[in-house]
C-alpha cells in the first residue's frame, strides 16, 4: 500500500514518507485523517499494514522492531500465529537471527509454519548447522515435517556436505509419502548429484514419473556437474519428448554439456530453442551460448553472440577471454581485457588468471610485466589463485627467478596449492634439484604434498631410489591410487627401464583414463613390447573406453617402432571412423608412421589433407624423406616450411642435414649451416651432431671440428660422432685425446663409442692402445665386446702386418667369429699378400655367406698378384657356379 487517497479531493498522503510511529497512530485512531467535509477513512488493519510495509523496499530492521513493539502492546502477537510467524520471518530477512530465535521461543503455540520459517531463515543466513539442529528439535517435539520442511533441510544437508543425513531425511520423505513432491525430490537429486553417486540421483529421479521441470533441471544440472554430458543430453531429449518446456535454468546446463563435448550442431539446435522460448535476453543463457561457441573453437560466432547480449556480466566477459586463450588468440585476450577496464566492468580472479594464461608466452614478456603492475595496483596480488597464475606464467616464459620471488612474497605458506605450482614450475624448467628440495621442505615444515606436488616431482626425477621413496610416501598418505599420481609413477618406472613395475602400478590405478593407457602403451612401445601395447589398446576397445588423440598417437608410435604398416592402417581407419583423424596430434603421428614404414606417398597425402600443418608433422615427413634417400623431396618440403613461416626446430634441421649429407658435397649443407647460425640453433646438440656428421662425410674434418666446438653441451652421440670422424680421417691421436676429454666431462662411453676408439687405434697403428681399450670396455664399463669391436682389433693387427697374431686373436675370441671378422682378416691378407691365410679367411667367409662376391674377388686378385692364374680360373669357375655376379664398376669422370 503506497498511498492513501481521499475519495473526493484525491489528496495523496504517502505512507512511506511518514515516520512509522505516525502510521501506527493513524491505524489506531483513523479520525485524525478527517478532511474538511468531516468524511472519515475506513479503519486500517495493522496486520495488513505490516505486510505491505514488510514487502516494500524501504522497510528496515528498525521498522520491524517498531511493529514488534506495537503487536506486543496490543497483544496481537500472543493471539495471532500469523503475526508471530511474520515477525520471525522479518527478523530472518534482515539477518537478526538472535532476535528471530528469541521471538520464536516466545511463540505460545508454534506450528509447522513457525518451524519452517526458522529453518528457512537459518538457510538464508548460511547457518546450515542451526537449520539441521532446528529440524532435529522439531522432530523431537513431535511435529511432522511437510514438503517445505523437507526441501529446506535437504538444502542445508547439501550445503553442509552431509549426504548421510540427507539419506536419513529422504527415508522420512519416502515413509511419510512426500517422495513425489517436486520441491523435495529436486533437493534430494541435487544433494546426491553433488556429494554421493550420480547413479543414486538418477534412481531418485526415476522413482516416480515426473512432470516437474524443476526436477528435470536438477538432474540435468547434476549430470553436467558430474561430467555425464551425454546423459544430460539424453535427459534433455526425454524432457522434450514429454512436451515439457525447458526454461532459462535448463538451457545453461545443456549448452555447457554441448561445449564440453564440442557438439556444435547440437548446441546450435539448443540455441534455436532459446530463441523460440524467448530466453535469449537472460544473461546466464547468453553467457552459456558464448561459452559453447568459444569452447568449440568458433570464436567469430562467440563474438557475435556476445555483442547481441543486452547485458554483460563478468562471467560473459571471462567466457570470451577464456575462449580466446583456448584458441591461442592472445591479442584478442588483451583487447577484451582492456575494454573491460575501460568500461569499468567488474573483474574477478577468474578473469585475471585467464589473462595471465594468455601472457604465458616468451613473446609477451612486456605485456606480462604490465599485467603484474595492474595486479599490484588493483589489489589482486593478495589473491592466492592470482599468485599461482603469476608463478605459472613466469615459469612458462623462462623467468623462473620471478616465480620464486612471487612465491617468497606469499603470506600463507600453509597453502599447499602454492607449493604445488612452484614445484611444477621447477619441473617445467627441468630443475630437478630445486623441485626435490622444495618437496622435502614441505615435509620438514609439516605440510602434506598433494597429488600435484607428487606428480610434478615424479615427472622430473631420474633417480630410481628417490622415486621409490616418493612412491612409498604416496602409498602412506593414500595418493598412490589417484589417477594422476598413478600415471606419473607408471611413467617414471617406464623411463627408468622398470617396465614390470610400471605395469604393476598401472594395474593398481582404480579409474584408468586415456592418459594412463596412452602412457602405458608408449612405455611398451619404447621398450620393444609392441605386442603388449596392441593388446592394451584392444582391451580398451573391449571395455568400451573411447581412445582419445593421445592414446591413438601412442598406438601409432608402436606401429612406427616395428614398421607395421597394416596395423597402422587399422588404427588410421579407427581414427577416421571416430572422427579423431582431424586432430593435429593424430595427423602428425600418422605422417610419422607412414614415413617410418616407407609409405611416403600415403604420408604425403595425409600431410596434404591436414587442416593445420604443424612443425611436428613437417619434421616427420622431412625425416621420412631423408631416411628413404628422397633428398630432393626433403629439401623441397623444407623450403615449403620456410615459405609458410612454420617454425623450424632442431629435429627438422637434424633430419634435413642428415639427408643432404648423403650428397657428399657441402653445397646445400653450407647453406643450411648458414640458416642454423641465423636461427641460433648451432649450439643444439642434435643440430651440431648432424652438422659434424655432414662435414665428416664431405671430408672436411676442420669444419667438422668447428661444428663440434659450437655445441653447448655435447652428449654421448656428439662425442662419439666426433671421435669416429677423427678415426675415419686417420687422426687417431686426436680421436683418443677427444675420448679422454669425454671421460673427464663425466660422459660414459657406450659400445658405439668404443668402435670409434678402436677404429682410431687401427687407422693409426696403435696396437697397445687398442688392446688397452678393448680390456677397458669390460673392466671399467662392463660392456661386452661385439663383432665390430673384434673386427677393429683384427684390422689393427692386420694393418700392422701381424697376420698370425690376428689369426690367433680370432681363434681365442670368446664368441664365434662371423663373416665380418674373417672378411677383415681377408682384406689384411690381400694387403700383405698372404695367400694361404687369405684362402682360409675366404673359405670361412663363404661358409657364412656363400654368395659373397667380395670374398671370391679378393681371393682371385690375391692369386693374380702372384701369378697363380690357374687358381684364378678355378675361383672364377666356382664363383659362376654359385650364381654370384660382380657388378661392373663405373666412374663419373
Amino acid at each position: 500500500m503506497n498511498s492513501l487517497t481521499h475519495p473526493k479531493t484525491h489528496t495523496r498522503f504517502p505512507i512511506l514518507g511518514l515516520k512509522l510511529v505516525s502510521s501506527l497512530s493513524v491505524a489506531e485512531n483513523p479520525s485524525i485523517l478527517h478532511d474538511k467535509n468531516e468524511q472519515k477513512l475506513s479503519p486500517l488493519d495493522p496486520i495488513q499494514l505490516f505486510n505491505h510495509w514488510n514487502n516494500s523496499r524501504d522497510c528496515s530492521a528498525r521498522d520491524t522492531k517498531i511493529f514488534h513493539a506495537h503487536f506486543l502492546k496490543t497483544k496481537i502477537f500472543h493471539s495471532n500465529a500469523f503475526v508471530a510467524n511474520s515477525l520471525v520471518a522479518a527478523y530472518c530477512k534482515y539477518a537478526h537471527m538472535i532476535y528471530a530465535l528469541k521471538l520464536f521461543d516466545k511463540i505460545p503455540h508454534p506450528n509447522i509454519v513457525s518451524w519452517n520459517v526458522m529453518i528457512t531463515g537459518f538457510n538464508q543466513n548460511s547457518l546450515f548447522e542451526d537449520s539441521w539442529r532446528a529440524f532435529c528439535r522439531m522432530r523431537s517435539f513431535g511435529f511432522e515435517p511437510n514438503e517445505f520442511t523437507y526441501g529446506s533441510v535437504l538444502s542445508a544437508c547439501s550445503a553442509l556436505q552431509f549426504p548421510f543425513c540427507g539419506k536419513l531425511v529422504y527415508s522420512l520423505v519416502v515413509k511419510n509419502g512426500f517422495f513425489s513432491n517436486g520441491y523435495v525430490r529436486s533437493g534430494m537429486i541435487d544433494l546426491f548429484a553433488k556429494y554421493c553417486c550420480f547413479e543414486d540421483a538418477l534412481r531418485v529421479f526415476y522413482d516416480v514419473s515426473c512432470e516437474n521441470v524443476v526436477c528435470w533441471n536438477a538432474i540435468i544440472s547434476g549430470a553436467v556437474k558430474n561430467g555425464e554430458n551425454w546423459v544430460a543430453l539424453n535427459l534433455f531429449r526425454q524432457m522434450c519428448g514429454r512436451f515439457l518446456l525447458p526454461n532459462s535454468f535448463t538451457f545453461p546446463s545443456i549448452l555447457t554439456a554441448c561445449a564440453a563435448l564440442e557438439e556444435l550442431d547440437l548446441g546450435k539446435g539448443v540455441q534455436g530453442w532459446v530463441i523460440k522460448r524467448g530466453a535469449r535476453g537472460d544473461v546466464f543463457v547468453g553467457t552459456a551460448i558464448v561459452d559453447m561457441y568459444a569452447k568449440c573453437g568458433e570464436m567469430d560466432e562467440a563474438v557475435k553472440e556476445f555483442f547481441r547480449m543486452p547485458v554483460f556480466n563478468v562471467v560473459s566477459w571471462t567466457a570470451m577471454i577464456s575462449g580466446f586463450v583456448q584458441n591461442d588468440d592472445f591479442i584478442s585476450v588483451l583487447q577484451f581485457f582492456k575494454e573491460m577496464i575501460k568500461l569499468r566492468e567488474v573483474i574477478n580472479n577468474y578473469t585475471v588468471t585467464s589473462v595471465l594464461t594468455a601472457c604465458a608466452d616468451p613473446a609477451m614478456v612486456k605485456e606480462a610485466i604490465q599485467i603484474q603492475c595492474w595486479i599490484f595496483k588493483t589489489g589482486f596480488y593478495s589473491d592466492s589463485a592470482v599468485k599461482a597464475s603469476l608463478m605459472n606464467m613466469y615459469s612458462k616464459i623462462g623467468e623462473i627467478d620471478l616465480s620464486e620471488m612471487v612465491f617468497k612474497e606469499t603470506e600463507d605458506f600453509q597453502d599447499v596449492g602454492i607449493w604445488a605450482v612452484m614445484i611444477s614450475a621447477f619441473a617445467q624448467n627441468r630443475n630437478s634439484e630445486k623441485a626435490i628440495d622444495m618437496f622435502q621442505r614441505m615435509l620438514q615444515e609439516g605440510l602434506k604434498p598433494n597429488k600435484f606436488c607428487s606428480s610434478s616431482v615424479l615427472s622430473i626425477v631420474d633417480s630410481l631410489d628417490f622415486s621409490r621413496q616418493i612412491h612409498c610416501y604416496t602409498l602412506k598418505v593414500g595418493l598412490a591410487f589417484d589417477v594422476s599420481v598413478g600415471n606419473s609413477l607408471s611413467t617414471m618406472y617406464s623411463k627408468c627401464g622398470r617396465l614390470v613395475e610400471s605395469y604393476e602400478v598401472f594395474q593398481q590405478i582404480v579409474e584408468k583414463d586415456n592418459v594412463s593407457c596412452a602412457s602405458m602403451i608408449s612405455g611398451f612401445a619404447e621398450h620393444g613390447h609392441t605386442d603388449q601395447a596392441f593388446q592394451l589398446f584392444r582391451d580398451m576397445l573391449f571395455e568400451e573406453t573411447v581412445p582419445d588423440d593421445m592414446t591413438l598417437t601412442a598406438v601409432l608410435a608402436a606401429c612406427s617402432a616395428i614398421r607395421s604398416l597394416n596395423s597402422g592402417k587399422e588404427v588410421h581407419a579407427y581414427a577416421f571412423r571416430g572422427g579423431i583423424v582431424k586432430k593435429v596430434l593424430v595427423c602428425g603421428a600418422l605422417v610419422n608412421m607412414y614415413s617410418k614404414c616407407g609409405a611416403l606417398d600415403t604420408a604425403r597425402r595425409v600431410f596434404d589433407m591436414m587442416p593445420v600443418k604443424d612443425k611436428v608433422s613437417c619434421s616427420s615427413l622431412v625425416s621420412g624423406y631423408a631416411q628413404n634417400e628422397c633428398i630432393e623431396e626433403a629439401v623441397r618440403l623444407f623450403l615449403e616450411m620456410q615459405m609458410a613461416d612454420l617454425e623450424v626446430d632442431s629435429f627438422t634441421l637434424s633430419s634435413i642435414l642428415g639427408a643432404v649429407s648423403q650428397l657428399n658435397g657441402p653445397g646445400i649443407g653450407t647453406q643450411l649451416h648458414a640458416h642454423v647460425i641465423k636461427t641460433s640453433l648451432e649450439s643444439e646438440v642434435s643440430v651440431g651432431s648432424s652438422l659434424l656428421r655432414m662435414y665428416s662425410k664431405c671430408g672436411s674434418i676442420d669444419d667438422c671440428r668447428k661444428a663440434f666446438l659450437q655445441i653447448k653441451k655435447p652428449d654421448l652421440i656428439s662425442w662419439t660422432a666426433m671421435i669416429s670422424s677423427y678415426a675415419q680421417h686417420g687422426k687417431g691421436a686426436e680421436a683418443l685425446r677427444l675420448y679422454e676429454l669425454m671421460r673427464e666431462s663425466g660422459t660414459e662411453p657406450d659400445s658405439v663409442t668404443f668402435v670409434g676408439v678402436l677404429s682410431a687405434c687401427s687407422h693409426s697403428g696403435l696396437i697397445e692402445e687398442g688392446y688397452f681399450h678393448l680390456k677397458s670396455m669390460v673392466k671399467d664399463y662392463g660392456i661386452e665386446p661385439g663383432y665390430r669391436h673384434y673386427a677393429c682389433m683384427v684390422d689393427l693387427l692386420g694393418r700392422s702386418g701381424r697376420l698370425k697374431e690376428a689369426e690367433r686373436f680370432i681363434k681365442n675370441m670368446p664368441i664365434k667369429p662371423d663373416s665380418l671378422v674373417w672378411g677383415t682378416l681377408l682384406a689384411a691378407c690381400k694387403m700383405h699378400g698372404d695367400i694361404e691365410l687369405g684362402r682360409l679367411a675366404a673359405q670361412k667367409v663363404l661358409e657364412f655367406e656363400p654368395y659373397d662376391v667380395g670374398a671370391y674377388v679378393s681371393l682371385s686378385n690375391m692369386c693374380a698378384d702372384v701369378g697363380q692364374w690357374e687358381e684364378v680360373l678355378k675361383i672364377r669357375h666356382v664363383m659362376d657356379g654359385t650364381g654370384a655376379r660382380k657388378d661392373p664398376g663405373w666412374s663419373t669422370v
Side-chain angles (χ1 to χ4, degrees):
M1 185 163 122
N2 296 326
S3 65
L4 295 173
T5 307
H6 194 279
K8 273 193 173 184
T9 61
H10 300 282
T11 303
R12 294 178 180 268
F13 192 85
I15 289 184
L16 296 180
L18 297 175
K19 291 187 182 279
L20 187 55
V21 178
S22 302
S23 300
L24 289 175
S25 302
V26 170
E28 292 179 359
N29 207 355
S31 60
I32 65 171
L33 293 179
H34 290 174
D35 64 0
K36 58 182 179 180
N37 295 320
E38 297 296 323
Q39 290 183 329
K40 298 181 181 179
L41 291 172
S42 59
L44 295 175
D45 183 0
I47 299 174
Q48 183 181 2
L49 180 62
F50 170 65
N51 285 333
H52 280 290
W53 191 279
N54 194 35
N55 292 329
S56 70
R57 294 182 180 179
D58 294 333
C59 189
S60 65
R62 179 176 175 276
D63 301 335
T64 303
K65 291 178 182 178
I66 293 173
F67 271 111
H68 185 185
H70 171 74
F71 290 140
L72 287 173
K73 180 180 177 182
T74 56
K75 299 183 180 180
I76 297 176
F77 174 79
H78 296 284
S79 61
N80 193 317
F82 175 76
V83 169
N85 294 337
S86 298
L87 277 172
V88 172
Y91 279 124
C92 292
K93 176 181 176 182
Y94 300 113
H96 285 271
M97 293 308 298
I98 296 176
Y99 290 110
L101 189 58
K102 287 181 179 179
L103 185 61
F104 172 80
D105 290 335
K106 291 180 181 178
I107 298 177
H109 303 289
N111 54 22
I112 188 64
V113 177
S114 310
W115 288 99
N116 286 347
V117 167
M118 276 308 302
I119 293 171
T120 304
F122 283 132
N123 283 355
Q124 290 171 351
N125 291 277
S126 301
L127 301 171
F128 302 110
E129 291 185 8
D130 293 318
S131 179
W132 172 253
R133 281 194 286 267
F135 174 76
C136 296
R137 187 178 165 204
M138 181 192 79
R139 288 273 302 152
S140 65
F141 287 160
F143 286 90
E144 286 297 329
N146 60 16
E147 64 269 26
F148 301 107
T149 319
Y150 288 126
S152 297
V153 77
L154 285 172
S155 297
C157 292
S158 179
L160 290 169
Q161 302 181 21
F162 285 174
F164 178 73
C165 295
K167 289 180 179 180
L168 293 177
V169 174
Y170 192 64
S171 64
L172 289 174
V173 167
V174 175
K175 178 182 177 182
N176 295 329
F178 288 100
F179 59 89
S180 61
N181 181 271
Y183 179 53
V184 177
R185 290 180 68 217
S186 62
M188 199 63 214
I189 290 168
D190 182 64
L191 175 63
F192 278 166
K194 282 182 179 176
Y195 305 112
C196 291
C197 180
F198 179 66
E199 283 72 15
D200 291 338
L202 275 175
R203 196 174 296 114
V204 171
F205 177 75
Y206 283 120
D207 276 346
V208 179
S209 179
C210 183
E211 305 299 326
N212 190 318
V213 176
V214 177
C215 291
W216 285 91
N217 287 345
I219 192 66
I220 289 172
S221 175
V224 173
K225 289 173 182 175
N226 282 273
E228 300 286 350
N229 297 297
W230 285 116
V231 175
L233 296 179
N234 186 45
L235 287 165
F236 180 68
R237 291 190 189 98
Q238 293 178 36
M239 179 181 176
C240 297
R242 294 193 180 200
F243 302 103
L244 295 172
L245 296 177
N247 56 26
S248 56
F249 294 97
T250 320
F251 294 128
S253 296
I254 293 300
L255 288 165
T256 301
C258 294
L261 297 170
E262 296 186 14
E263 285 287 332
L264 183 60
D265 292 337
L266 188 56
K268 288 180 178 179
V270 177
Q271 186 182 2
W273 265 95
V274 169
I275 296 170
K276 183 178 179 181
R277 294 286 295 149
R280 197 169 191 169
D282 186 283
V283 66
F284 297 105
V285 176
T287 301
I289 292 173
V290 168
D291 186 59
M292 185 266 297
Y293 277 117
K295 287 196 171 136
C296 292
E298 297 287 334
M299 288 309 301
D300 291 339
E301 290 297 323
V303 171
K304 289 178 185 176
E305 291 301 322
F306 177 78
F307 285 113
R308 282 175 184 160
M309 293 176 64
V311 179
F312 305 134
N313 63 4
V314 64
V315 180
S316 52
W317 281 97
T318 305
M320 282 300 302
I321 289 173
S322 299
F324 285 126
V325 171
Q326 182 180 327
N327 288 274
D328 297 330
D329 187 356
F330 303 139
I331 302 300
S332 297
V333 170
L334 296 179
Q335 287 176 344
F336 264 68
F337 185 62
K338 288 177 182 177
E339 191 66 19
M340 283 187 76
I341 296 173
K342 181 180 177 181
L343 297 175
R344 296 186 177 180
E345 294 281 351
V346 175
I347 297 174
N348 60 21
N349 57 350
Y350 297 105
T351 318
V352 179
T353 53
S354 297
V355 174
L356 288 172
T357 303
C359 293
D361 187 282
M364 301 187 71
V365 176
K366 180 181 177 182
E367 290 80 0
I369 295 173
Q370 291 176 350
I371 294 295
Q372 184 179 8
C373 294
W374 180 87
I375 288 170
F376 273 117
K377 182 179 178 181
T378 53
F380 276 104
Y381 193 70
S382 59
D383 187 276
S384 59
V386 173
K387 274 194 174 180
S389 294
L390 266 174
M391 291 160 59
N392 185 54
M393 177 194 71
Y394 280 130
S395 70
K396 286 187 176 178
I397 63 177
E399 298 291 341
I400 192 67
D401 293 338
L402 293 177
S403 293
E404 281 192 272
M405 181 191 72
V406 175
F407 174 78
K408 290 175 181 177
E409 291 176 353
T410 302
E411 296 177 358
D412 185 12
F413 277 103
Q414 298 300 311
D415 185 356
V416 177
I418 292 290
W419 289 81
V421 173
M422 196 65 244
I423 292 174
S424 175
F426 285 132
Q428 289 171 7
N429 286 269
R430 312 306 301 169
N431 193 332
S432 58
E433 184 178 345
K434 285 197 172 182
I436 294 169
D437 179 64
M438 183 150 286
F439 188 85
Q440 292 173 331
R441 275 179 57 196
M442 288 186 72
L443 295 172
Q444 291 168 1
E445 295 186 16
L447 296 174
K448 290 184 177 181
N450 59 16
K451 59 183 181 181
F452 303 108
C453 301
S454 304
S455 300
S456 297
V457 172
L458 287 167
S459 70
I460 196 172
V461 172
D462 54 5
S463 168
L464 185 60
D465 292 337
F466 185 74
S467 299
R468 281 176 170 163
Q469 293 177 37
I470 299 178
H471 190 179
C472 293
Y473 168 78
T474 59
L475 286 169
K476 181 180 178 181
V477 298
L479 289 175
F481 305 108
D482 177 82
V483 63
S484 62
V485 177
N487 293 344
S488 298
L489 282 167
S490 178
T491 304
M492 178 273 298
Y493 280 121
S494 178
K495 287 193 300 184
C496 294
R498 303 284 180 166
L499 198 61
V500 175
E501 293 171 80
S502 174
Y503 188 58
E504 288 176 356
V505 172
F506 171 76
Q507 289 180 310
Q508 290 171 358
I509 300 174
V510 180
E511 296 182 2
K512 301 177 182 66
D513 58 4
N514 275 298
V515 177
S516 316
C517 296
S519 176
M520 197 66 244
I521 290 170
S522 297
F524 280 136
E526 288 170 6
H527 290 84
H529 298 274
T530 50
D531 291 341
Q532 289 91 328
F534 289 131
Q535 185 58 48
L536 180 55
F537 182 63
R538 292 188 196 99
D539 292 342
M540 285 183 66
L541 300 179
F542 181 75
E543 294 171 2
E544 298 183 353
T545 302
V546 181
D548 61 0
D549 50 348
M550 290 178 58
T551 312
L552 291 178
T553 301
V555 177
L556 287 168
C559 298
S560 303
I562 60 172
R563 307 292 195 269
S564 177
L565 183 60
N566 290 332
S567 299
K569 286 181 176 179
E570 291 176 3
V571 177
H572 188 177
Y574 178 85
F576 185 83
R577 187 176 63 181
I580 313 177
V581 75
K582 295 180 181 179
K583 297 281 187 179
V584 174
L585 196 63
V586 175
C587 288
L590 283 168
V591 170
N592 182 59
M593 183 272 296
Y594 283 122
S595 299
K596 292 277 179 67
C597 294
L600 294 175
D601 291 338
T602 309
R604 183 68 196 219
R605 283 199 297 272
V606 173
F607 178 79
D608 290 337
M609 288 189 294
M610 288 179 66
V612 179
K613 295 173 178 60
D614 64 340
K615 62 181 181 181
V616 176
S617 55
C618 291
S619 298
S620 298
L621 192 53
V622 168
S623 177
Y625 282 137
Q627 291 170 3
N628 289 274
E629 299 184 2
C630 299
I631 303 171
E632 184 178 345
E633 288 84 352
V635 174
R636 188 182 296 116
L637 181 58
F638 179 76
L639 292 175
E640 289 177 9
M641 290 180 67
Q642 294 290 298
M643 294 174 65
D645 288 331
L646 278 174
E647 181 185 353
V648 178
D649 59 6
S650 56
F651 178 77
T652 311
L653 283 169
S654 300
S655 299
I656 194 68
L657 285 167
V660 300
S661 66
Q662 301 174 39
L663 296 175
N664 294 323
I668 299 177
T670 304
Q671 296 178 41
L672 286 170
H673 192 176
H675 179 78
V676 167
I677 295 173
K678 182 179 178 181
T679 53
S680 301
L681 290 174
E682 68 274 10
S683 61
E684 289 287 333
V685 64
S686 59
V687 177
S689 299
S690 297
L691 277 170
L692 72 87
R693 279 194 294 266
M694 179 195 71
Y695 283 124
S696 177
K697 286 186 179 181
C698 296
S700 181
I701 192 65
D702 289 336
D703 289 329
C704 183
R705 181 178 56 81
K706 290 176 182 176
F708 175 77
L709 293 175
Q710 287 177 335
I711 300 174
K712 189 175 182 180
K713 292 182 179 179
D715 62 355
L716 177 61
I717 296 174
S718 52
W719 283 105
T720 302
M722 193 63 230
I723 291 169
S724 300
S725 297
Y726 275 136
Q728 290 167 7
H729 289 78
K731 296 183 178 294
E734 289 86 343
L736 294 180
R737 278 198 296 270
L738 190 65
Y739 171 69
E740 292 302 324
L741 288 174
M742 183 192 79
R743 292 180 59 190
E744 291 173 7
S745 71
T747 305
E748 289 194 359
D750 63 357
S751 60
V752 181
T753 311
F754 277 107
V755 170
V757 170
L758 294 172
S759 178
C761 295
S762 173
H763 284 79
S764 300
L766 304 173
I767 296 175
E768 298 303 323
E769 288 83 352
Y771 275 117
F772 171 80
H773 289 299
L774 185 67
K775 293 177 182 178
S776 174
M777 286 180 64
V778 180
K779 181 181 177 182
D780 298 330
Y781 301 103
I783 301 172
E784 291 297 329
Y787 290 112
R788 294 181 66 190
H789 303 102
Y790 290 121
C792 286
M793 284 302 300
V794 172
D795 184 57
L796 171 59
L797 295 170
R799 284 173 184 266
S800 302
R802 300 162 72 164
L803 298 178
K804 292 298 181 182
E805 186 177 347
E807 183 185 7
R808 287 195 302 273
F809 180 84
I810 293 173
K811 289 180 180 179
N812 293 327
M813 281 173 54
I815 58 177
K816 185 179 179 180
D818 66 346
S819 60
L820 175 64
V821 176
W822 286 112
T824 305
L825 181 61
L826 176 59
C829 292
K830 181 180 180 300
M831 181 188 299
H832 295 284
D834 191 334
I835 298 176
E836 294 303 320
L837 186 56
R839 196 185 304 275
L840 172 65
Q843 183 181 351
K844 294 291 185 180
V845 171
L846 293 172
E847 286 178 5
F848 287 100
E849 299 180 17
Y851 303 102
D852 189 332
V853 177
Y856 288 111
V857 172
S858 295
L859 186 58
S860 172
N861 290 342
M862 287 171 61
C863 294
D865 289 341
V866 294
Q868 297 181 1
W869 297 106
E870 291 181 1
E871 289 294 322
V872 172
L873 291 174
K874 287 180 182 179
I875 294 169
R876 293 288 180 178
H877 179 70
V878 173
M879 178 178 168
D880 292 338
T882 60
R885 293 287 183 272
K886 179 181 182 297
D887 294 331
W890 58 276
S891 173
T892 58
V893 179

